Amino acid sequence: MKENKMGTMPINKLILTMSLPMIISMVVQSLYNIVDSIFVAQVSENALTAVSLAFPIQNLMLAVQIGTGVGINALLSRKLGEDKFKGANKAALNGVFLAVAHYMLFLIAAFFLVEPFFRAQTSDPEILASGILYSKIIMVFSFGQFIQVTAEKLLQATGRTVDAMWVQGIGAGINIILDPIMIFGLLGFPRMGVAGAAWATVIGQSIAAVVGILLNVKRNKELNFNVKGFKPEWAIIRSIYVVGIPSAVMTSITSVTTFALNIILIQFSTTATAVFGVYYKLQSFVFMPIFGINNGIIPIISYNYGAKNKKRITDTIRLAIMYATAIMLAGFILFQVFPEQLLTLFNASEEMMAIGVPSIRIIS
């Protein structure tokens, strides 16, 4: 096989080629989270608060699978850099096994942990009912999310970032289209409110997972997805987790801090909690491009680590830091100059605006 572009293409062009599709798809993903909250905010402020309180659960699920995906991505790319194609294949199959295992854990948690989680944060019956229902739908039907993320990481690892972008973009697009239809009961659908937002999300994820599987089978020729005789290999799973667990922990820390802050903020008012949730949704719009760059450079670094090309690794890291700094500076300016306009998107009341404007400026 000819050498992969990750070992030959000029670094700046390679980073842009690998990262831009990821940036576009992750910005689209952050947009549909924002759109979820914008539509839910039209139902009521309590509905927005319920979705905000559910954020730590959603973030934890995403952290576990993206962290594992980063581990799959790094191991698979390294094996390809070493020309160990059977090893790359085993990494892919064990990665899919872990996606199914993680789904089963969250499925069990949906029935035993969701209600205590919400009762630890609020006693408001309306917020409790909406938040518990929303979270259970998201968790029970999260199989699509776990498979979708894994499919994306397998495509990224072999340099097919445009295909990965299509997977995420299709899921996000379907969610955006279904949100108003299912929340407000358009086109003959019943009005489902907050539950409609959850159903729109899981349907989008499930369709994206199917697209991801098809693209991997049809176009990812460097991998062979023959599962005949497959058994989990703990040495490979350990290698995935060595890289994946630190990434998952760093991302999931946000879930812990948000949960703790929600408990504190709701003592002041549900509006304060809603503001905090809105900020995190808006913040993701700035952070997602950084995650896109991160996802784009992982296979570059891993491939060249396997190929023992130190200069390409250091050049990749240096340029990525420069791009990331520029994006964060642009985000900082956006939050400082336009906080009122950003909050207006969420049907902000006077109280929400009074709390939100200074908060957004301080946190950013």
Side-chain angles (χ1 to χ4, degrees), residues 71-317:
I72 297 166
N73 198 329
L75 178 61
L76 203 158
S77 297
R78 192 176 82 231
K79 293 296 182 184
L80 290 176
E82 295 168 344
D83 291 334
K84 295 179 180 177
F85 297 102
K86 285 186 178 179
N89 221 42
K90 288 181 179 180
L93 291 175
N94 279 274
V96 174
F97 166 77
L98 289 177
V100 176
H102 294 154
Y103 164 70
M104 296 304 296
L105 288 175
F106 280 98
L107 176 64
I108 294 167
F111 294 104
F112 295 102
L113 300 180
V114 168
E115 189 167 338
F117 171 82
F118 272 90
R119 290 194 181 279
Q121 297 178 90
T122 182
S123 58
D124 185 293
E126 183 184 353
I127 296 173
L128 277 173
S130 296
I132 291 170
L133 178 60
Y134 178 87
S135 297
K136 283 190 174 181
I137 294 170
I138 291 290
M139 295 172 75
V140 170
F141 298 96
S142 62
F143 185 76
Q145 176 185 333
F146 286 104
I147 295 299
Q148 175 195 337
V149 172
T150 303
E152 288 171 18
K153 295 302 180 187
L154 295 178
L155 290 165
Q156 289 169 24
T158 54
R160 291 170 175 81
T161 51
V162 174
D163 287 338
M165 178 187 74
W166 278 112
V167 173
Q168 200 165 70
I170 287 170
I174 290 170
N175 184 82
I176 290 170
I177 292 168
L178 290 180
D179 257 341
I181 294 173
M182 304 188 84
I183 291 172
F184 302 116
L186 308 178
L187 303 178
F189 277 81
R191 181 185 175 94
M192 290 187 277
V194 172
W199 282 114
T201 297
V202 297
I203 291 170
Q205 290 168 345
S206 298
I207 293 173
V210 172
V211 173
I213 292 168
L214 291 174
L215 285 173
N216 270 289
V217 171
K218 297 291 185 183
R219 301 181 59 149
N220 216 345
K221 300 301 182 184
E222 289 166 295
L223 300 175
N224 175 15
F225 293 96
N226 184 1
V227 296
K228 186 178 180 181
F230 168 75
K231 291 181 180 179
E233 295 191 31
W234 303 115
I236 293 174
I237 290 172
R238 181 181 177 279
S239 296
I240 290 171
Y241 277 147
V242 162
V243 176
I245 286 178
S247 178
V249 169
M250 285 189 291
T251 308
S252 63
I253 284 170
T254 304
S255 294
V256 178
T257 55
T258 305
F259 174 67
L261 284 168
N262 281 341
I263 292 173
I264 296 168
L265 289 170
I266 209 162
Q267 305 303 316
F268 292 90
S269 69
T270 56
T271 303
T273 310
V275 166
F276 189 58
V278 164
Y279 173 78
Y280 260 100
K281 299 284 186 179
L282 292 171
Q283 172 184 268
S284 69
F285 189 69
V286 182
F287 275 71
M288 284 299 180
I290 311 299
F291 297 153
I293 292 173
N294 181 55
N295 287 339
I297 68 171
I298 284 170
I300 301 172
I301 292 171
S302 298
Y303 185 97
N304 286 285
Y305 181 82
K308 296 180 170 58
N309 193 330
K310 183 178 179 180
K311 185 177 186 305
R312 287 178 69 82
I313 294 172
T314 53
D315 286 350
T316 299
I317 294 169

